[in-house]
Amino acid sequence: IGEIPATPKSDKEVQLPEVEKTMREYVAHYGSPFGYIQEQGNTVFQQIVPVKNLESVQISSSSVTELDLHTETAFHPYPPDYVFLLCLRGDPKAFTTYANLDVVLKKLSETTRKVLRQPWFTTRIDESFVLKGQQDKSFDISILQGDNQNTRIVYDKFFMRASSTAGRKALEELNQSIKSSVKKVALKSGELMIIDNRKTVHGRLPFTPRYDGTDRWLMRTLVMKQLPPSKNMSGEIVTTVL
């Protein structure tokens, strides 16, 4: 990744074309990078750094609060297939958390798995979108999607609610199964973590930022195997409007 400048104080203060070039090379093996109009202004290569006054918000720029486990943009009709996290500057006390769906499913009863496939759950729009002016909404969804051979999870612990007694019981069992399956890693400079957003939930444990140029700094890129039939620019930036 080369020489990295001081960690910026916001997600828009710096661009790193050489690092972006490196990221493009890895992304090309998985699909196309893209961004949402309503999040970071359609930026494809997003800078994830701790930001003052956002320490306790459920977004990637937070720090002192735990970022609850989730799949990326669980509310959106076009979520990414993969989330790329390239560590530009690590923090040994800032842990990324994750849990794999295959491990989680083995701990769930057959009844719970069937309930989680029903549209008996709601989620809301990510706070990173709402902070940029997107009107908040509630969406009815199923948590487990696809067939038994190709199951996908759509999940957001912070926002997800059940609309029935059976749903609430299943959601609680799922929450406990995920909690008992979590692993954690403190990314180091130069390490790239590729998260399969269809099969993995992820989050981050709390850490204390210093705001002195030495804080944790990730470059995040969202990737789709196949872009949706929406307006796109240069074949890589999808501007899907809710």
Side-chain angles (χ1 to χ4, degrees):
I1 59 174
E3 190 72 21
I4 298 299
T7 301
K9 296 181 180 180
S10 80
D11 55 23
K12 295 186 180 300
E13 286 187 6
V14 65
Q15 292 183 333
L16 301 172
E18 289 302 316
V19 180
E20 292 177 8
K21 180 181 178 181
T22 298
M23 185 75 99
R24 287 179 189 274
E25 294 174 355
Y26 282 94
V27 166
H29 295 284
Y30 289 79
S32 299
F34 73 100
Y36 298 104
I37 286 176
Q38 304 93 333
E39 185 183 50
Q40 290 203 8
N42 206 30
T43 302
V44 174
F45 299 100
Q46 303 171 356
Q47 311 304 329
I48 306 301
V49 298
V51 177
K52 279 189 176 182
N53 301 321
L54 297 178
E55 293 93 340
S56 300
V57 183
Q58 280 292 309
I59 61 176
S60 56
S61 299
S62 65
S63 51
V64 299
T65 191
E66 180 173 355
L67 185 61
D68 282 336
L69 291 158
H70 62 284
T71 54
E72 202 71 26
T73 57
F75 68 94
H76 204 283
Y78 298 113
D81 294 309
Y82 302 99
V83 179
F84 279 55
L85 299 176
L86 175 59
C87 183
L88 305 183
R89 177 167 290 114
D91 182 335
K93 297 181 180 179
F95 289 94
T96 298
T97 53
Y98 64 97
N100 184 271
L101 178 60
D102 290 341
V103 176
V104 171
L105 287 178
K106 292 177 181 178
K107 301 178 181 181
L108 299 177
S109 67
E110 180 64 27
T111 298
T112 292
R113 291 197 294 269
K114 289 180 178 179
V115 171
L116 293 174
R117 291 185 177 278
Q118 304 303 315
W120 297 345
F121 306 90
T122 62
T123 191
R124 305 191 71 84
I125 293 179
D126 290 351
E127 292 193 47
S128 58
F129 284 65
V130 175
L131 287 172
K132 300 296 184 180
Q134 176 67 43
Q135 184 178 359
D136 196 7
K137 296 179 182 180
S138 178
F139 299 88
D140 296 325
I141 66 167
S142 57
I143 293 176
L144 297 181
Q145 302 177 5
D147 56 38
N148 289 330
Q149 284 70 43
N150 191 28
T151 299
R152 175 174 189 151
I153 184 170
V154 179
Y155 178 80
D156 192 315
K157 184 177 185 296
F158 186 78
F159 285 117
M160 200 141 293
R161 300 290 183 272
S163 56
S164 68
T165 300
R168 285 190 287 273
K169 182 178 178 181
L171 183 57
E172 177 59 28
E173 185 177 335
L174 175 64
N175 288 340
Q176 291 301 318
S177 177
I178 290 175
K179 182 178 180 180
S180 67
S181 304
V182 169
K183 296 183 178 181
K184 64 181 182 179
V185 59
L187 294 173
K188 300 176 182 179
S189 178
E191 291 186 333
L192 173 63
M193 183 175 189
I194 302 174
I195 298 169
D196 187 335
N197 196 49
R198 304 159 299 178
K199 300 287 186 178
T200 310
V201 298
H202 68 281
R204 193 213 62 247
L205 296 181
F207 68 100
T208 303
R210 297 172 292 273
Y211 304 117
D212 61 357
T214 66
D215 282 323
R216 176 180 184 263
W217 182 6
L218 306 182
M219 178 181 285
R220 181 179 69 179
T221 305
L222 307 180
V223 180
M224 278 191 193
K225 296 176 68 175
Q226 183 175 358
L227 295 177
S230 305
K231 179 181 178 182
N232 63 80
M233 302 166 61
S234 303
E236 62 183 30
I237 304 177
V238 175
T239 54
T240 302
V241 181
L242 293 177

